[in-house]
Amino acid sequence: MAIPIKNPKAIAHMRDASAVAATVLYSLREQVAPGITTYDLDQIGRELIAKLNARSACYGYQLGSRRYPAYTCLSVNEEVVHGIGSMKRVLIDGDTISLDVVVEYRRYIGDNAITVPVGAIAPARTKLLQVTEEALRLGIKQATVGNRIGDISHAVQAYVEKHGYSVVRDMVGHGVGESMHEEPQIPNFGRRGKGELIRPGMTLAIEPMVNIGSWRTKTLRDGWTITTVDQSDSAHFEHTVLTTEQGPEILTIPNFDSSLPVHASLA
Ligand code: MF3
Ligand code: CO
């Protein structure tokens, strides 16, 4: 199967879905503070998504016989991705939390994530967040027409490993559109010049997951939460990106002033 190329109408839908995903994500970020539970954050995410007339693409997401039970993915410290909000998980000063928001809006999907500090965090954690966010930026920069997916992968891996960290191998970025996961897979490791050719009209979810220690991960007994095996800290940043002749365009930019029907109710 080839990588889907979006026509102008599909691109317009992707812009809207991505703007909704970003609006929810950055509103949710405002709520992160010591003392809140990850359950409460997830509930706030659920409400924000509903207010924007969207649907969580995570809730009910099926993997084998399991269905994802929460509205957002909230992953603390050594948790890499797919953490499930819990009333027992109270955020404390010094934690980091990855907020991953995937919404479906008018049948199209926008996907984005950030990792943010809870209160004041240790310098080693600040550095991890900075390196992971910069790795995402460098990966996006490679999403130019004529490049290959491996150019994105290589840029992310080279920058991360230069700082002595490791990239997660078991999970990858992906094409995104009417489904959350489309072709191509976008590993955060790989070789320049390898993989699929990048053409205009692709919508790609680029998402480095970076560990301070080993790249190895495991799944907790809840069947979803992925953590590092060595319990080292992990960070995750993600944007939905459109490839164009003029270069990559980040679609997951919040748009509080857009013509979205109910944006005003967010205030
Ligand atoms: N951004 C994540 C991904 O691309 C979201 C997964 S949703 C879940 O895989 F349902 F699996 F949690
Ligand atoms: Co994703």
Side-chain angles (χ1 to χ4, degrees):
M1 269 291 289
I3 302 176
I5 298 295
K6 271 74 180 180
N7 64 27
K9 197 176 151 195
I11 289 171
H13 280 290
M14 285 301 292
R15 283 187 199 291
D16 288 346
S18 300
V20 171
T23 301
V24 171
L25 179 62
Y26 296 101
S27 303
L28 192 58
R29 177 175 67 179
E30 303 293 307
Q31 305 301 319
V32 171
I36 195 168
T37 68
T38 55
Y39 176 83
D40 286 336
L41 279 176
D42 190 58
Q43 289 300 306
I44 293 166
R46 178 177 64 76
E47 287 163 20
L48 288 164
I49 292 167
K51 272 189 185 169
L52 291 170
N53 294 333
R55 183 185 80 76
S56 164
C58 294
Y59 184 78
Y61 179 84
Q62 208 167 347
L63 204 73
S65 59
R66 297 172 187 281
R67 284 180 178 278
Y68 190 73
Y71 297 87
T72 62
C73 297
L74 304 171
S75 310
V76 182
N77 298 340
E78 80 286 356
E79 296 171 357
V80 180
V81 287
H82 303 168
I84 300 166
S86 161
M87 291 197 246
K88 287 187 228 147
R89 187 75 194 233
V90 182
L91 295 183
I92 61 172
D93 193 57
D95 283 343
T96 62
I97 182 168
S98 152
L99 316 170
D100 190 350
V101 172
V102 196
V103 303
E104 183 182 311
Y105 180 74
R106 296 187 182 163
R107 282 197 292 286
Y108 283 79
I109 300 219
D111 187 358
N112 62 171
I114 51 177
T115 305
V116 298
V118 180
I121 63 173
R125 287 185 163 168
T126 302
K127 174 92 186 296
L128 174 66
L129 303 195
Q130 284 170 348
V131 168
T132 309
E133 189 168 20
E134 177 66 5
L136 171 58
R137 198 185 68 82
L138 293 171
I140 291 171
K141 236 175 118 180
Q142 292 299 317
T144 58
V145 170
N147 268 5
R148 290 181 179 269
I149 295 299
D151 295 309
I152 300 173
S153 308
H154 177 266
V156 169
Q157 180 179 22
Y159 185 75
V160 166
E161 293 183 351
K162 189 175 88 182
H163 289 275
Y165 301 147
S166 63
V167 288
V168 169
R169 315 261 169 142
D170 318 316
M171 278 149 321
V172 296
H174 49 93
V176 56
E178 288 177 86
S179 322
M180 178 159 54
H181 297 134
E182 293 182 346
E183 284 195 54
Q185 293 197 359
I186 310 175
N188 293 301
F189 58 96
R191 292 172 55 183
R192 257 186 212 132
K194 298 286 177 190
E196 296 89 336
L197 187 63
I198 296 174
R199 303 200 291 128
M202 294 179 174
T203 44
L204 306 176
I206 302 175
E207 50 178 318
M209 289 154 268
V210 174
N211 301 345
I212 284 186
S214 158
W215 55 266
R216 289 179 195 281
T217 66
K218 61 176 185 182
T219 307
L220 293 187
R221 287 219 302 272
D222 64 18
W224 289 99
T225 310
I226 310 285
T227 75
T228 58
V229 163
D230 62 11
Q231 302 295 304
S232 70
D233 291 327
S234 188
H236 175 215
F237 284 81
E238 174 175 28
H239 273 305
T240 298
V241 173
L242 170 69
T243 59
T244 81
E245 294 284 7
Q246 289 76 41
E249 181 185 340
I250 296 174
L251 298 185
T252 35
I253 301 291
N255 192 357
F256 293 97
D257 297 324
S258 77
S259 56
L260 295 172
V262 289
H263 71 278
S265 58
L266 266 181

